[in-house]
PDB file of all heavy atoms in Angstrom:
ATOM      1  N   HIS A   1      81.980  97.127  84.142  1.00 53.00           N
ATOM      2  CA  HIS A   1      81.207  96.515  83.052  1.00 53.00           C
ATOM      3  C   HIS A   1      81.641  95.078  82.770  1.00 53.00           C
ATOM      4  O   HIS A   1      81.155  94.455  81.849  1.00 53.00           O
ATOM      5  CB  HIS A   1      81.378  97.334  81.770  1.00 53.00           C
ATOM      6  CG  HIS A   1      80.865  98.729  81.872  1.00 53.00           C
ATOM      7  ND1 HIS A   1      79.524  99.030  81.899  1.00 53.00           N
ATOM      8  CD2 HIS A   1      81.519  99.905  81.985  1.00 53.00           C
ATOM      9  CE1 HIS A   1      79.363 100.342  82.000  1.00 53.00           C
ATOM     10  NE2 HIS A   1      80.564 100.893  82.057  1.00 53.00           N
ATOM     11  N   CYS A   2      82.574  94.577  83.588  1.00 46.00           N
ATOM     12  CA  CYS A   2      83.208  93.303  83.231  1.00 46.00           C
ATOM     13  C   CYS A   2      82.799  92.139  84.116  1.00 46.00           C
ATOM     14  O   CYS A   2      83.469  91.113  84.157  1.00 46.00           O
ATOM     15  CB  CYS A   2      84.728  93.465  83.275  1.00 46.00           C
ATOM     16  SG  CYS A   2      85.330  94.651  82.047  1.00 46.00           S
ATOM     17  N   GLY A   3      81.722  92.326  84.857  1.00 45.00           N
ATOM     18  CA  GLY A   3      81.207  91.190  85.610  1.00 45.00           C
ATOM     19  C   GLY A   3      81.901  90.953  86.922  1.00 45.00           C
ATOM     20  O   GLY A   3      82.431  91.847  87.546  1.00 45.00           O
ATOM     21  N   ASP A   4      81.947  89.702  87.338  1.00 45.00           N
ATOM     22  CA  ASP A   4      82.388  89.344  88.677  1.00 45.00           C
ATOM     23  C   ASP A   4      83.902  89.193  88.725  1.00 45.00           C
ATOM     24  O   ASP A   4      84.634  89.726  87.915  1.00 45.00           O
ATOM     25  CB  ASP A   4      81.665  88.064  89.111  1.00 45.00           C
ATOM     26  CG  ASP A   4      81.659  87.901  90.615  1.00 45.00           C
ATOM     27  OD1 ASP A   4      81.960  88.873  91.322  1.00 45.00           O
ATOM     28  OD2 ASP A   4      81.347  86.797  91.052  1.00 45.00           O
ATOM     29  N   SER A   5      84.396  88.398  89.671  1.00 41.00           N
ATOM     30  CA  SER A   5      85.824  88.334  89.947  1.00 41.00           C
ATOM     31  C   SER A   5      86.644  87.752  88.800  1.00 41.00           C
ATOM     32  O   SER A   5      87.854  87.689  88.890  1.00 41.00           O
ATOM     33  CB  SER A   5      86.070  87.526  91.222  1.00 41.00           C
ATOM     34  OG  SER A   5      85.478  86.246  91.107  1.00 41.00           O
ATOM     35  N   GLY A   6      85.983  87.313  87.741  1.00 47.00           N
ATOM     36  CA  GLY A   6      86.718  86.851  86.584  1.00 47.00           C
ATOM     37  C   GLY A   6      87.317  87.969  85.768  1.00 47.00           C
ATOM     38  O   GLY A   6      87.998  87.718  84.782  1.00 47.00           O
ATOM     39  N   TYR A   7      87.097  89.222  86.153  1.00 46.00           N
ATOM     40  CA  TYR A   7      87.656  90.357  85.416  1.00 46.00           C
ATOM     41  C   TYR A   7      89.167  90.205  85.295  1.00 46.00           C
ATOM     42  O   TYR A   7      89.879  89.983  86.278  1.00 46.00           O
ATOM     43  CB  TYR A   7      87.307  91.663  86.152  1.00 46.00           C
ATOM     44  CG  TYR A   7      88.023  92.870  85.616  1.00 46.00           C
ATOM     45  CD1 TYR A   7      87.899  93.247  84.287  1.00 46.00           C
ATOM     46  CD2 TYR A   7      88.830  93.629  86.446  1.00 46.00           C
ATOM     47  CE1 TYR A   7      88.551  94.351  83.795  1.00 46.00           C
ATOM     48  CE2 TYR A   7      89.497  94.755  85.973  1.00 46.00           C
ATOM     49  CZ  TYR A   7      89.354  95.102  84.647  1.00 46.00           C
ATOM     50  OH  TYR A   7      89.997  96.210  84.170  1.00 46.00           O
ATOM     51  N   SER A   8      89.694  90.341  84.069  1.00 44.00           N
ATOM     52  CA  SER A   8      91.107  90.080  83.824  1.00 44.00           C
ATOM     53  C   SER A   8      92.017  91.098  84.483  1.00 44.00           C
ATOM     54  O   SER A   8      93.200  90.850  84.667  1.00 44.00           O
ATOM     55  CB  SER A   8      91.370  90.073  82.311  1.00 44.00           C
ATOM     56  OG  SER A   8      91.029  91.333  81.741  1.00 44.00           O
ATOM     57  N   GLY A   9      91.464  92.269  84.863  1.00 51.00           N
ATOM     58  CA  GLY A   9      92.302  93.287  85.496  1.00 51.00           C
ATOM     59  C   GLY A   9      92.506  93.055  86.974  1.00 51.00           C
ATOM     60  O   GLY A   9      93.236  93.807  87.620  1.00 51.00           O
ATOM     61  N   GLY A  10      91.911  92.031  87.573  1.00 60.00           N
ATOM     62  CA  GLY A  10      92.106  91.764  88.992  1.00 60.00           C
ATOM     63  C   GLY A  10      90.831  91.286  89.657  1.00 60.00           C
ATOM     64  O   GLY A  10      89.775  91.168  89.037  1.00 60.00           O
ATOM     65  N   THR A  11      90.942  91.015  90.942  1.00 79.00           N
ATOM     66  CA  THR A  11      89.812  90.521  91.715  1.00 79.00           C
ATOM     67  C   THR A  11      88.979  91.671  92.244  1.00 79.00           C
ATOM     68  O   THR A  11      89.498  92.619  92.846  1.00 79.00           O
ATOM     69  CB  THR A  11      90.320  89.678  92.902  1.00 79.00           C
ATOM     70  OG1 THR A  11      91.067  88.572  92.393  1.00 79.00           O
ATOM     71  CG2 THR A  11      89.155  89.173  93.730  1.00 79.00           C
ATOM     72  N   ILE A  12      87.675  91.593  92.040  1.00 86.00           N
ATOM     73  CA  ILE A  12      86.768  92.599  92.568  1.00 86.00           C
ATOM     74  C   ILE A  12      86.284  92.133  93.937  1.00 86.00           C
ATOM     75  O   ILE A  12      85.657  91.083  94.064  1.00 86.00           O
ATOM     76  CB  ILE A  12      85.569  92.808  91.616  1.00 86.00           C
ATOM     77  CG1 ILE A  12      86.061  93.265  90.237  1.00 86.00           C
ATOM     78  CG2 ILE A  12      84.615  93.861  92.197  1.00 86.00           C
ATOM     79  CD1 ILE A  12      84.979  93.293  89.187  1.00 86.00           C
ATOM     80  N   LEU A  13      86.592  92.917  94.953  1.00 90.00           N
ATOM     81  CA  LEU A  13      86.238  92.575  96.336  1.00 90.00           C
ATOM     82  C   LEU A  13      84.924  93.250  96.697  1.00 90.00           C
ATOM     83  O   LEU A  13      84.636  94.366  96.246  1.00 90.00           O
ATOM     84  CB  LEU A  13      87.347  93.028  97.288  1.00 90.00           C
ATOM     85  CG  LEU A  13      88.736  92.463  96.947  1.00 90.00           C
ATOM     86  CD1 LEU A  13      89.802  93.107  97.810  1.00 90.00           C
ATOM     87  CD2 LEU A  13      88.746  90.949  97.119  1.00 90.00           C
ATOM     88  N   LYS A  14      84.107  92.581  97.550  1.00 91.00           N
ATOM     89  CA  LYS A  14      82.756  93.079  97.818  1.00 91.00           C
ATOM     90  C   LYS A  14      82.410  92.953  99.292  1.00 91.00           C
ATOM     91  O   LYS A  14      82.903  92.052  99.981  1.00 91.00           O
ATOM     92  CB  LYS A  14      81.709  92.307  97.019  1.00 91.00           C
ATOM     93  CG  LYS A  14      82.074  92.040  95.579  1.00 91.00           C
ATOM     94  CD  LYS A  14      81.075  91.119  94.935  1.00 91.00           C
ATOM     95  CE  LYS A  14      81.656  90.495  93.685  1.00 91.00           C
ATOM     96  NZ  LYS A  14      82.721  89.530  93.973  1.00 91.00           N
ATOM     97  N   CYS A  15      81.556  93.869  99.724  1.00 91.00           N
ATOM     98  CA  CYS A  15      80.970  93.780 101.058  1.00 91.00           C
ATOM     99  C   CYS A  15      79.539  94.270 100.946  1.00 91.00           C
ATOM    100  O   CYS A  15      79.307  95.440 100.602  1.00 91.00           O
ATOM    101  CB  CYS A  15      81.740  94.621 102.061  1.00 91.00           C
ATOM    102  SG  CYS A  15      81.066  94.561 103.738  1.00 91.00           S
ATOM    103  N   GLY A  16      78.549  93.382 101.182  1.00 93.00           N
ATOM    104  CA  GLY A  16      77.157  93.747 101.003  1.00 93.00           C
ATOM    105  C   GLY A  16      76.301  93.412 102.206  1.00 93.00           C
ATOM    106  O   GLY A  16      76.568  92.435 102.914  1.00 93.00           O
ATOM    107  N   TYR A  17      75.278  94.244 102.431  1.00 95.00           N
ATOM    108  CA  TYR A  17      74.295  93.989 103.481  1.00 95.00           C
ATOM    109  C   TYR A  17      72.903  94.247 102.918  1.00 95.00           C
ATOM    110  O   TYR A  17      72.717  95.115 102.050  1.00 95.00           O
ATOM    111  CB  TYR A  17      74.537  94.881 104.703  1.00 95.00           C
ATOM    112  CG  TYR A  17      75.548  94.308 105.655  1.00 95.00           C
ATOM    113  CD1 TYR A  17      76.913  94.494 105.417  1.00 95.00           C
ATOM    114  CD2 TYR A  17      75.167  93.552 106.750  1.00 95.00           C
ATOM    115  CE1 TYR A  17      77.866  93.944 106.277  1.00 95.00           C
ATOM    116  CE2 TYR A  17      76.111  93.003 107.615  1.00 95.00           C
ATOM    117  CZ  TYR A  17      77.448  93.205 107.360  1.00 95.00           C
ATOM    118  OH  TYR A  17      78.371  92.644 108.210  1.00 95.00           O
ATOM    119  N   ARG A  18      71.920  93.476 103.413  1.00 95.00           N
ATOM    120  CA  ARG A  18      70.543  93.638 102.962  1.00 95.00           C
ATOM    121  C   ARG A  18      69.604  93.450 104.147  1.00 95.00           C
ATOM    122  O   ARG A  18      69.911  92.758 105.115  1.00 95.00           O
ATOM    123  CB  ARG A  18      70.218  92.665 101.840  1.00 95.00           C
ATOM    124  CG  ARG A  18      70.241  91.219 102.256  1.00 95.00           C
ATOM    125  CD  ARG A  18      70.453  90.243 101.090  1.00 95.00           C
ATOM    126  NE  ARG A  18      69.769  90.622  99.872  1.00 95.00           N
ATOM    127  CZ  ARG A  18      70.047  90.090  98.681  1.00 95.00           C
ATOM    128  NH1 ARG A  18      70.984  89.154  98.577  1.00 95.00           N
ATOM    129  NH2 ARG A  18      69.409  90.455  97.619  1.00 95.00           N
ATOM    130  N   ALA A  19      68.447  94.105 104.074  1.00 95.00           N
ATOM    131  CA  ALA A  19      67.435  93.978 105.133  1.00 95.00           C
ATOM    132  C   ALA A  19      66.071  94.230 104.534  1.00 95.00           C
ATOM    133  O   ALA A  19      65.918  95.030 103.604  1.00 95.00           O
ATOM    134  CB  ALA A  19      67.703  94.965 106.264  1.00 95.00           C
ATOM    135  N   MET A  20      65.061  93.548 105.047  1.00 96.00           N
ATOM    136  CA  MET A  20      63.683  93.757 104.622  1.00 96.00           C
ATOM    137  C   MET A  20      63.101  94.889 105.473  1.00 96.00           C
ATOM    138  O   MET A  20      63.268  94.926 106.695  1.00 96.00           O
ATOM    139  CB  MET A  20      62.861  92.489 104.807  1.00 96.00           C
ATOM    140  CG  MET A  20      61.617  92.441 103.940  1.00 96.00           C
ATOM    141  SD  MET A  20      62.010  92.370 102.173  1.00 96.00           S
ATOM    142  CE  MET A  20      62.719  90.734 102.034  1.00 96.00           C
ATOM    143  N   VAL A  21      62.431  95.831 104.783  1.00 95.00           N
ATOM    144  CA  VAL A  21      61.929  97.029 105.455  1.00 95.00           C
ATOM    145  C   VAL A  21      60.441  97.185 105.168  1.00 95.00           C
ATOM    146  O   VAL A  21      59.973  96.915 104.050  1.00 95.00           O
ATOM    147  CB  VAL A  21      62.679  98.291 104.971  1.00 95.00           C
ATOM    148  CG1 VAL A  21      62.217  99.525 105.737  1.00 95.00           C
ATOM    149  CG2 VAL A  21      64.185  98.103 105.116  1.00 95.00           C
ATOM    150  N   GLN A  22      59.714  97.624 106.154  1.00 93.00           N
ATOM    151  CA  GLN A  22      58.297  97.930 105.957  1.00 93.00           C
ATOM    152  C   GLN A  22      58.188  99.261 105.235  1.00 93.00           C
ATOM    153  O   GLN A  22      58.835 100.232 105.594  1.00 93.00           O
ATOM    154  CB  GLN A  22      57.579  98.010 107.305  1.00 93.00           C
ATOM    155  CG  GLN A  22      56.082  98.224 107.200  1.00 93.00           C
ATOM    156  CD  GLN A  22      55.430  98.300 108.576  1.00 93.00           C
ATOM    157  OE1 GLN A  22      55.984  98.916 109.482  1.00 93.00           O
ATOM    158  NE2 GLN A  22      54.286  97.670 108.738  1.00 93.00           N
ATOM    159  N   GLY A  23      57.360  99.291 104.203  1.00 93.00           N
ATOM    160  CA  GLY A  23      57.188 100.518 103.446  1.00 93.00           C
ATOM    161  C   GLY A  23      57.549 100.333 101.985  1.00 93.00           C
ATOM    162  O   GLY A  23      58.074  99.288 101.574  1.00 93.00           O
ATOM    163  N   SER A  24      57.276 101.343 101.194  1.00 94.00           N
ATOM    164  CA  SER A  24      57.526 101.283  99.751  1.00 94.00           C
ATOM    165  C   SER A  24      58.876 101.928  99.415  1.00 94.00           C
ATOM    166  O   SER A  24      59.503 102.583 100.247  1.00 94.00           O
ATOM    167  CB  SER A  24      56.421 102.025  99.008  1.00 94.00           C
ATOM    168  OG  SER A  24      56.468 103.418  99.304  1.00 94.00           O
ATOM    169  N   ALA A  25      59.291 101.746  98.169  1.00 94.00           N
ATOM    170  CA  ALA A  25      60.532 102.370  97.709  1.00 94.00           C
ATOM    171  C   ALA A  25      60.443 103.893  97.802  1.00 94.00           C
ATOM    172  O   ALA A  25      61.407 104.566  98.173  1.00 94.00           O
ATOM    173  CB  ALA A  25      60.829 101.931  96.277  1.00 94.00           C
ATOM    174  N   SER A  26      59.273 104.429  97.482  1.00 94.00           N
ATOM    175  CA  SER A  26      59.088 105.886  97.558  1.00 94.00           C
ATOM    176  C   SER A  26      59.207 106.397  98.989  1.00 94.00           C
ATOM    177  O   SER A  26      59.647 107.523  99.221  1.00 94.00           O
ATOM    178  CB  SER A  26      57.720 106.276  96.975  1.00 94.00           C
ATOM    179  OG  SER A  26      57.653 105.930  95.610  1.00 94.00           O
ATOM    180  N   ASP A  27      58.809 105.561  99.954  1.00 95.00           N
ATOM    181  CA  ASP A  27      58.944 105.946 101.360  1.00 95.00           C
ATOM    182  C   ASP A  27      60.414 106.041 101.770  1.00 95.00           C
ATOM    183  O   ASP A  27      60.809 106.918 102.541  1.00 95.00           O
ATOM    184  CB  ASP A  27      58.244 104.931 102.265  1.00 95.00           C
ATOM    185  CG  ASP A  27      56.731 104.909 102.076  1.00 95.00           C
ATOM    186  OD1 ASP A  27      56.169 105.953 101.704  1.00 95.00           O
ATOM    187  OD2 ASP A  27      56.126 103.836 102.292  1.00 95.00           O
ATOM    188  N   LEU A  28      61.220 105.118 101.273  1.00 95.00           N
ATOM    189  CA  LEU A  28      62.618 105.033 101.676  1.00 95.00           C
ATOM    190  C   LEU A  28      63.541 105.950 100.878  1.00 95.00           C
ATOM    191  O   LEU A  28      64.601 106.350 101.365  1.00 95.00           O
ATOM    192  CB  LEU A  28      63.121 103.596 101.533  1.00 95.00           C
ATOM    193  CG  LEU A  28      62.639 102.588 102.573  1.00 95.00           C
ATOM    194  CD1 LEU A  28      63.052 101.192 102.165  1.00 95.00           C
ATOM    195  CD2 LEU A  28      63.221 102.927 103.938  1.00 95.00           C
ATOM    196  N   TRP A  29      63.141 106.283  99.662  1.00 96.00           N
ATOM    197  CA  TRP A  29      64.054 106.989  98.757  1.00 96.00           C
ATOM    198  C   TRP A  29      64.575 108.323  99.300  1.00 96.00           C
ATOM    199  O   TRP A  29      65.776 108.621  99.139  1.00 96.00           O
ATOM    200  CB  TRP A  29      63.414 107.198  97.389  1.00 96.00           C
ATOM    201  CG  TRP A  29      64.336 107.909  96.447  1.00 96.00           C
ATOM    202  CD1 TRP A  29      64.264 109.197  96.007  1.00 96.00           C
ATOM    203  CD2 TRP A  29      65.523 107.357  95.849  1.00 96.00           C
ATOM    204  NE1 TRP A  29      65.313 109.489  95.175  1.00 96.00           N
ATOM    205  CE2 TRP A  29      66.096 108.375  95.059  1.00 96.00           C
ATOM    206  CE3 TRP A  29      66.145 106.107  95.908  1.00 96.00           C
ATOM    207  CZ2 TRP A  29      67.266 108.177  94.333  1.00 96.00           C
ATOM    208  CZ3 TRP A  29      67.322 105.918  95.191  1.00 96.00           C
ATOM    209  CH2 TRP A  29      67.857 106.940  94.418  1.00 96.00           C
ATOM    210  N   PRO A  30      63.760 109.183  99.931  1.00 96.00           N
ATOM    211  CA  PRO A  30      64.312 110.447 100.438  1.00 96.00           C
ATOM    212  C   PRO A  30      65.504 110.248 101.352  1.00 96.00           C
ATOM    213  O   PRO A  30      66.467 111.032 101.304  1.00 96.00           O
ATOM    214  CB  PRO A  30      63.124 111.072 101.176  1.00 96.00           C
ATOM    215  CG  PRO A  30      61.920 110.517 100.487  1.00 96.00           C
ATOM    216  CD  PRO A  30      62.297 109.103 100.137  1.00 96.00           C
ATOM    217  N   ALA A  31      65.482 109.223 102.194  1.00 96.00           N
ATOM    218  CA  ALA A  31      66.620 108.973 103.080  1.00 96.00           C
ATOM    219  C   ALA A  31      67.855 108.571 102.279  1.00 96.00           C
ATOM    220  O   ALA A  31      68.980 108.960 102.608  1.00 96.00           O
ATOM    221  CB  ALA A  31      66.278 107.888 104.093  1.00 96.00           C
ATOM    222  N   VAL A  32      67.659 107.797 101.215  1.00 96.00           N
ATOM    223  CA  VAL A  32      68.779 107.406 100.360  1.00 96.00           C
ATOM    224  C   VAL A  32      69.342 108.623  99.631  1.00 96.00           C
ATOM    225  O   VAL A  32      70.557 108.842  99.600  1.00 96.00           O
ATOM    226  CB  VAL A  32      68.331 106.329  99.349  1.00 96.00           C
ATOM    227  CG1 VAL A  32      69.449 106.045  98.339  1.00 96.00           C
ATOM    228  CG2 VAL A  32      67.924 105.056 100.065  1.00 96.00           C
ATOM    229  N   GLU A  33      68.469 109.438  99.069  1.00 95.00           N
ATOM    230  CA  GLU A  33      68.910 110.573  98.259  1.00 95.00           C
ATOM    231  C   GLU A  33      69.588 111.652  99.102  1.00 95.00           C
ATOM    232  O   GLU A  33      70.388 112.434  98.593  1.00 95.00           O
ATOM    233  CB  GLU A  33      67.725 111.183  97.504  1.00 95.00           C
ATOM    234  CG  GLU A  33      68.131 112.191  96.454  1.00 95.00           C
ATOM    235  CD  GLU A  33      66.962 112.672  95.615  1.00 95.00           C
ATOM    236  OE1 GLU A  33      65.806 112.411  95.995  1.00 95.00           O
ATOM    237  OE2 GLU A  33      67.209 113.311  94.579  1.00 95.00           O
ATOM    238  N   GLN A  34      69.301 111.695 100.397  1.00 95.00           N
ATOM    239  CA  GLN A  34      69.887 112.721 101.254  1.00 95.00           C
ATOM    240  C   GLN A  34      71.149 112.259 101.975  1.00 95.00           C
ATOM    241  O   GLN A  34      71.674 112.970 102.828  1.00 95.00           O
ATOM    242  CB  GLN A  34      68.835 113.170 102.281  1.00 95.00           C
ATOM    243  CG  GLN A  34      67.671 113.921 101.665  1.00 95.00           C
ATOM    244  CD  GLN A  34      66.536 114.159 102.631  1.00 95.00           C
ATOM    245  OE1 GLN A  34      66.761 114.275 103.834  1.00 95.00           O
ATOM    246  NE2 GLN A  34      65.317 114.237 102.121  1.00 95.00           N
ATOM    247  N   VAL A  35      71.691 111.114 101.611  1.00 96.00           N
ATOM    248  CA  VAL A  35      72.870 110.585 102.288  1.00 96.00           C
ATOM    249  C   VAL A  35      74.054 111.531 102.096  1.00 96.00           C
ATOM    250  O   VAL A  35      74.203 112.184 101.060  1.00 96.00           O
ATOM    251  CB  VAL A  35      73.212 109.172 101.765  1.00 96.00           C
ATOM    252  CG1 VAL A  35      73.700 109.221 100.314  1.00 96.00           C
ATOM    253  CG2 VAL A  35      74.221 108.489 102.660  1.00 96.00           C
ATOM    254  N   GLY A  36      74.925 111.603 103.093  1.00 94.00           N
ATOM    255  CA  GLY A  36      76.116 112.429 102.997  1.00 94.00           C
ATOM    256  C   GLY A  36      75.849 113.890 103.295  1.00 94.00           C
ATOM    257  O   GLY A  36      74.753 114.287 103.676  1.00 94.00           O
ATOM    258  N   GLY A  37      76.869 114.715 103.112  1.00 91.00           N
ATOM    259  CA  GLY A  37      76.729 116.137 103.379  1.00 91.00           C
ATOM    260  C   GLY A  37      76.374 116.398 104.823  1.00 91.00           C
ATOM    261  O   GLY A  37      76.873 115.747 105.751  1.00 91.00           O
ATOM    262  N   GLU A  38      75.463 117.344 105.046  1.00 90.00           N
ATOM    263  CA  GLU A  38      75.050 117.689 106.404  1.00 90.00           C
ATOM    264  C   GLU A  38      74.274 116.548 107.067  1.00 90.00           C
ATOM    265  O   GLU A  38      74.282 116.402 108.291  1.00 90.00           O
ATOM    266  CB  GLU A  38      74.193 118.951 106.388  1.00 90.00           C
ATOM    267  CG  GLU A  38      74.953 120.201 105.967  1.00 90.00           C
ATOM    268  CD  GLU A  38      74.063 121.425 105.989  1.00 90.00           C
ATOM    269  OE1 GLU A  38      72.970 121.365 106.600  1.00 90.00           O
ATOM    270  OE2 GLU A  38      74.451 122.445 105.395  1.00 90.00           O
ATOM    271  N   THR A  39      73.608 115.720 106.260  1.00 93.00           N
ATOM    272  CA  THR A  39      72.838 114.609 106.829  1.00 93.00           C
ATOM    273  C   THR A  39      73.732 113.541 107.416  1.00 93.00           C
ATOM    274  O   THR A  39      73.401 112.913 108.424  1.00 93.00           O
ATOM    275  CB  THR A  39      71.939 113.984 105.735  1.00 93.00           C
ATOM    276  OG1 THR A  39      71.060 114.981 105.227  1.00 93.00           O
ATOM    277  CG2 THR A  39      71.127 112.825 106.294  1.00 93.00           C
ATOM    278  N   GLY A  40      74.879 113.325 106.805  1.00 93.00           N
ATOM    279  CA  GLY A  40      75.765 112.261 107.257  1.00 93.00           C
ATOM    280  C   GLY A  40      75.385 110.922 106.655  1.00 93.00           C
ATOM    281  O   GLY A  40      74.621 110.846 105.684  1.00 93.00           O
TER     282      GLY A  40
END
């Protein structure tokens, strides 16, 4: 809740990736919601 690396408790380190995908959020959501477990 404390924002970016200015947090007084230490530096928040990040690693992010983004990509443009054909389709709607509803099309992609099942794959997101099924992450982990047996799906991997």
Side-chain angles (χ1 to χ4, degrees):
H1 297 287
C2 296
D4 201 14
S5 55
Y7 170 58
S8 60
T11 300
I12 300 171
L13 304 172
K14 317 172 199 70
C15 180
Y17 275 83
R18 66 202 322 165
M20 202 65 69
V21 184
Q22 184 180 41
S24 66
S26 298
D27 294 331
L28 286 171
W29 180 253
V32 173
E33 191 174 13
Q34 292 170 29
V35 68
E38 294 181 16
T39 301

